[in-house]
Amino acid sequence: MTGKSTSKPRNGQPSGPAADLKSQDLERSRARPKNEALRTNQGVKIADNQNTLRAGARGPSLLEDFIMREKITHFDHERIPERIVHARGSAAHGVFQVYESMAEYTKAAFLQDPSVQTPVYVRFSTVQGPRGSADTVRDVRGFATKFYTSEGVYDLVGNNMPVFFIQDAIKFPDFVHAVKPEAPNEMPTGGSAHDTFWDFVSLVPESAHMVLWTMSDRALPRSLRTMEGFGVHTFRFVNAKGVMRLVKFHWRPVLGSYSLLWDEAQKLAGKDPDFHRRDLWEAIERGDYPEFELGVQVIEEKDQDSFGFDLLDPTKIVPEEIVPVKIIGKMTLNRNPDNFFAETEQVAFHPGHIVPGIDFTNDPLLQGRLFSYTDTQISRLGGPNFHEIPINRPVSPNVNNQRDGMHRQTINVGQASYQPNSLNDDWPVETKPSVSDGGFESFPEPMEGTKIRVRSESFADHFSQAALFYQSMSDVEKEHITLAYQFELGKVTKPEIRARVVNEILTNFDADLAATVAEGLGLPKPGKGARAAGKQTPSPALSLLNRVRPGVKTRKIAMVAAPGSDGAVIKGVQSALKAQGATPLLIAPTLAAIDGMNPDATIAGMPSIMFDGVVVCGGEQGAKTLAQSGDARHFVLEAFRHLKAIAALGAGNELLNAAHLPANADGVSTGDDVDAVLKPFIEAVGKHRVWSRRKSAESVPA
Ligand code: HDE
């Protein structure tokens, strides 16, 4: 049960009774053989694990070999169906702590006491691709958090974008069929750049806002650790007095938010399909625990109709300039899973896993989700007992009269599995003040209406917020969005689909965007959209460039060197970068030691797309080798093209000259003094990209 934290975190592990209970629970389920004999599933010791039982050394295998049969049968059934969406994911354990009591707004126990650490398990995912697809594709990211609270499991199953493609759950299968790889040939893997996706969204204008988000840099996160998360739907907070307020949930990465460039994302998909997974895993192993603050936009019940759009419509945001995001707590991811399958693959999230003090609204997308997530687990995880899988078990007791079913783990004792009963004195009973309190009660929203299939008129405006988003972008982001539409639509084979996106969708939220995309596709200049949205009041909070936070903590920096480079310089650079919290890696043409230091990777094995900045180390001989290496020249050229901060110390400048980098370019610092060169370099890395270099970067080969 969640309780007061009694001790300091042990080696970064969650502490306090709830965390202890979850660890004990997982510990009981762990198999960690040491000093143990190899045995069958029935516990029989195995004498030979190398050879099948045969009739003679060269004879046929015998059916009698129960050891071989058991082993292979189990192996044959190792796979379970992957998730229909969000199949590709990575996860981590952690803890959540509220900064101050939220009792004024909600009675949820895990949001009351700042000293309580609630264990969490968080799974990040892409949506479109299968389980083995690449991490860096252009896509929405799932951001699902399971809180093991004292009152039961609470799942906040969100995305890294605050809106969705459709307004009603009944359209979800249509949307997913359209975006998934196409039926005849299962192409493309991991992307939306194909006919069926664009056909669907060109015919469904409610998708315009979300499609725009997916064409933006938000769809290309630099790291799962630096993504924002959103609950998307409007939920409710209910306090102990029964006062209800509406709430939107936000996750804010403490390190700020950054994106990849499209060229990097595409290359990474080939060079390291596990780029995000690896980054998350390595950061946690290093002790650079990812931190996310939980924010809420709280709306008084009386204000719910004052926004000019419907809070139940999941294609709308509440601009934070109108309702500020109140930061209420922090989640720290501090432990990698022990076993990908047992934990990450079997974790079962559900927006319907909710605790007293939080409640649903009538958002028709959310209402449909409340059905879908249990249903999907029944086929993925093989029956209704998936809550007994260790990663899914609550830390609070889950006592009830449910029985049996596939894979039942609990041995229920006693005759009475019904209520009321006299044979077990009526136990277990609903919460009553005499027994315990805290039973879940739905917010008593007054209801009346005609049974009808209709979309509320208040959901009808599909373009104003797309216009708001686009108008809130910086020039750089607008350029990226334009190129993304051109790229994606360029992959669409049917000209009428391309034209429909431009003329029926883009023209309705931005005439310039529509015209530039049309030009790039060779389409005639579009006319004015029939439902064109006008000028909006921009929301600066929507621009990712305003989400960059100062500092270089956890940023990966390549220290490029070769045998003959100056060891003292390398050490100086390393310690200066580490002092700022960055992660410097020594990168060289081969893994041969340089002045006694072993390189972390080769230039060819770890290209500059995997780094946030590049320092070329000094030393005459090393610099000469680097200048002669095609891989090394490509390394710095690509970093330059991708607008990364570059520094060269002493003779290291030879490599920049050999690569013919434009002279005096922004974000390139050179010189002999380590401190003087690194100061502007570190500042530039902290800004993420050297945007002012865009023009000169275009002249350099990618
Ligand atoms: Fe999901 N979604 N979804 N979704 N979703 C699933 O559940 C579904 C929606 C989200 O890491 C599935 O266990 C319907 C919105 C995440 O395991 C499935 C509708 C948002 C994850 C399902 C939606 C999400 C899922 C597939 C429309 C953002 C991955 C496997 C009514 C707020 C969780 C599974 C994880 C997964 C159904 C729309 C987020 C099939 C029917 C909106 C992060 O049940």
Side-chain angles (χ1 to χ4, degrees):
M1 282 164 44
T2 303
K4 296 245 178 214
S5 172
T6 48
S7 55
K8 287 220 163 267
R10 302 177 304 271
N11 305 323
Q13 301 300 306
S15 72
D20 287 348
L21 262 184
K22 192 66 202 162
S23 311
Q24 285 164 21
D25 192 31
L26 289 172
E27 194 56 48
R28 271 199 302 276
S29 321
R30 272 186 197 132
R32 213 197 288 258
K34 198 109 199 240
N35 303 326
E36 297 253 25
L38 184 69
R39 294 172 190 259
T40 67
N41 285 336
Q42 305 306 319
V44 175
K45 286 186 184 164
I46 296 172
D48 181 346
N49 188 33
Q50 318 304 325
N51 300 295
T52 304
L53 192 66
R54 303 187 174 92
R58 299 183 60 250
S61 302
L62 297 180
L63 193 57
E64 180 192 318
D65 187 353
F66 65 96
I67 294 175
M68 180 274 265
R69 275 192 292 113
E70 181 196 85
K71 185 175 176 183
I72 292 197
T73 303
H74 195 276
F75 166 78
D76 289 343
H77 298 272
E78 274 178 5
R79 292 287 169 273
I80 60 171
E82 65 175 32
R83 290 166 175 83
I84 165 74
V85 280
H86 297 266
R88 168 88 184 164
S90 317
H93 292 274
V95 289
F96 173 79
Q97 255 173 307
V98 76
Y99 286 141
E100 57 183 15
S101 171
M102 291 295 289
E104 184 188 345
Y105 301 103
T106 172
K107 60 185 176 188
F110 78 108
L111 297 176
Q112 304 300 308
D113 184 344
S115 71
V116 169
Q117 289 192 326
T118 301
V120 296
Y121 194 65
V122 179
R123 183 174 180 271
F124 303 104
S125 47
T126 56
V127 175
Q128 197 262 13
R131 210 185 124 176
S133 55
D135 279 344
T136 57
V137 294
R138 176 179 293 284
D139 199 355
V140 191
R141 300 300 188 285
F143 190 138
T145 308
K146 192 177 279 296
F147 297 82
Y148 303 90
T149 88
S150 61
E151 297 177 310
V153 166
Y154 169 53
D155 287 348
L156 180 53
V157 196
N159 278 343
N160 76 332
M161 297 179 191
V163 287
F164 203 65
F165 296 96
I166 47 168
Q167 295 173 321
D168 189 310
I170 201 167
K171 298 308 296 166
F172 192 64
D174 298 296
F175 164 70
V176 174
H177 290 171
V179 70
K180 276 277 183 178
E182 296 201 0
N185 51 23
E186 214 177 56
M187 294 195 284
T189 299
S192 55
H194 58 114
D195 283 23
T196 55
F197 173 75
W198 287 99
D199 186 29
F200 179 81
V201 298
S202 70
L203 295 167
V204 179
E206 73 203 49
S207 66
H209 188 195
M210 177 65 164
V211 173
L212 177 57
W213 278 78
T214 60
M215 293 304 109
S216 80
D217 293 349
R218 300 263 179 172
L220 307 173
R222 155 71 182 83
S223 161
L224 302 172
R225 301 177 290 120
T226 59
M227 278 184 344
E228 295 192 334
F230 302 90
V232 176
H233 314 282
T234 304
F235 291 89
R236 299 177 199 272
F237 265 168
V238 184
N239 69 15
K241 293 186 191 134
V243 177
M244 187 279 288
R245 294 176 179 87
L246 295 147
V247 63
K248 291 263 185 195
F249 290 108
H250 298 245
W251 285 116
R252 290 276 159 84
V254 169
L255 293 177
S257 283
Y258 315 93
S259 281
L260 295 169
L261 296 177
W262 181 222
D263 187 55
E264 286 176 306
Q266 286 177 291
K267 288 174 174 165
L268 282 166
K271 298 262 183 182
D272 187 3
D274 305 310
F275 184 69
H276 284 149
R277 177 176 286 185
R278 190 183 312 284
D279 170 86
L280 178 66
W281 179 274
E282 287 180 350
I284 294 174
E285 291 298 296
R286 275 200 311 270
D288 283 333
Y289 298 140
E291 295 176 317
F292 297 87
E293 290 189 308
L294 182 64
V296 288
Q297 287 176 294
V298 180
I299 297 153
E300 297 294 332
E301 188 173 8
K302 66 175 174 38
D303 297 332
Q304 59 182 315
D305 298 320
S306 63
F307 293 94
F309 58 85
D310 199 325
L311 286 177
L312 300 184
D313 175 356
T315 66
K316 303 292 184 294
I317 57 157
V318 178
E320 56 186 272
E321 290 77 7
I322 299 176
V323 179
V325 176
K326 181 180 164 60
I327 299 296
I328 67 167
K330 189 166 77 177
M331 172 167 80
T332 307
L333 302 182
N334 55 17
R335 184 161 64 84
N336 277 316
D338 288 303
N339 184 287
F340 186 91
F341 179 84
E343 300 176 88
T344 308
E345 200 54 15
Q346 295 201 111
V347 64
F349 291 96
H350 187 349
H353 292 165
I354 205 155
V355 289
I358 303 178
D359 209 341
F360 316 117
T361 58
N362 301 333
D363 173 341
L365 196 68
L366 173 61
Q367 294 279 317
R369 293 180 75 199
L370 297 180
F371 160 73
S372 175
Y373 288 66
T374 313
D375 191 41
T376 207
Q377 309 309 345
I378 290 171
S379 75
R380 280 198 73 233
L381 299 172
N385 287 316
F386 58 86
H387 60 279
E388 294 189 325
I389 295 172
I391 194 68
N392 294 325
R393 280 186 214 147
V395 295
S396 54
N398 53 357
V399 181
N400 57 42
N401 288 318
Q402 294 169 30
R403 288 294 180 274
D404 310 344
M406 299 288 270
H407 317 302
R408 184 68 171 177
Q409 308 287 306
T410 310
I411 301 174
N412 296 106
V413 179
Q415 274 173 290
S417 55
Y418 51 87
Q419 208 250 334
N421 71 67
S422 68
L423 296 181
N424 193 28
D425 298 333
D426 211 24
W427 295 104
V429 294
E430 303 106 303
T431 49
K432 300 179 195 163
S434 59
V435 179
S436 68
D437 52 14
F440 185 89
E441 284 169 23
S442 296
F443 175 71
E445 186 188 13
M447 280 292 141
E448 65 175 36
T450 312
K451 193 190 286 180
I452 188 170
R453 285 188 194 271
V454 77
R455 192 76 57 93
S456 168
E457 262 308 303
S458 55
F459 282 40
D461 171 12
H462 304 317
F463 298 115
S464 301
Q465 287 216 343
L468 164 70
F469 182 79
Y470 192 70
Q471 290 169 24
S472 304
M473 294 293 105
S474 60
D475 287 349
V476 173
E477 289 166 299
K478 282 185 179 164
E479 195 178 299
H480 290 170
I481 289 171
T482 309
L483 292 171
Y485 275 104
Q486 287 176 347
F487 176 93
E488 294 258 324
L489 291 170
K491 297 263 181 188
V492 167
T493 65
K494 304 273 185 307
E496 65 274 18
I497 298 178
R498 288 183 230 138
R500 201 159 51 224
V501 172
V502 171
N503 297 320
E504 312 281 325
I505 305 290
L506 302 189
T507 52
N508 282 316
F509 67 83
D510 198 90
D512 291 343
L513 173 69
T516 326
V517 172
E519 195 186 337
L521 295 170
L523 289 170
K525 193 170 179 343
K528 193 171 162 34
R531 297 157 73 183
K535 183 122 191 60
Q536 311 291 315
T537 310
S539 165
L542 293 175
S543 166
L544 262 190
L545 266 52
N546 295 328
R547 292 286 187 221
V548 172
R549 296 216 179 149
V552 294
K553 236 180 134 210
T554 83
R555 294 311 200 102
K556 254 190 181 162
I557 311 294
M559 300 184 301
V560 183
S565 294
D566 187 335
V569 170
I570 298 174
K571 284 196 184 115
V573 171
Q574 193 178 40
S575 62
L577 292 172
K578 280 194 173 161
Q580 301 287 325
T583 310
L585 295 181
L586 185 58
I587 307 297
T590 73
L591 294 180
I594 302 170
D595 225 356
M597 282 170 282
N598 290 323
D600 295 289
T602 62
I603 290 176
M606 219 168 158
S608 77
I609 47 176
M610 298 178 188
F611 292 94
D612 298 295
V614 176
V615 180
V616 186
C617 298
E620 291 291 337
Q621 193 48 46
K624 200 173 239 154
T625 309
L626 291 172
Q628 282 165 1
S629 154
D631 281 345
R633 290 200 300 271
H634 181 252
F635 194 96
V636 289
L637 271 175
E638 204 169 36
F640 187 87
R641 171 91 181 185
H642 292 148
L643 312 177
K644 286 173 182 161
I646 297 175
L649 283 152
N653 200 21
E654 267 188 47
L655 176 60
L656 308 193
N657 292 335
H660 301 297
L661 291 188
N664 303 323
D666 291 348
V668 181
S669 53
T670 57
D672 294 327
D673 182 72
V674 172
D675 290 342
V677 171
L678 286 190
K679 192 165 179 286
F681 170 78
I682 287 171
E683 261 167 38
V685 174
K687 291 182 183 148
H688 186 51
R689 306 254 176 212
V690 187
W691 296 114
S692 59
R693 195 203 282 156
R694 270 186 302 155
K695 276 279 152 281
S696 55
E698 277 166 21
S699 63
V700 159

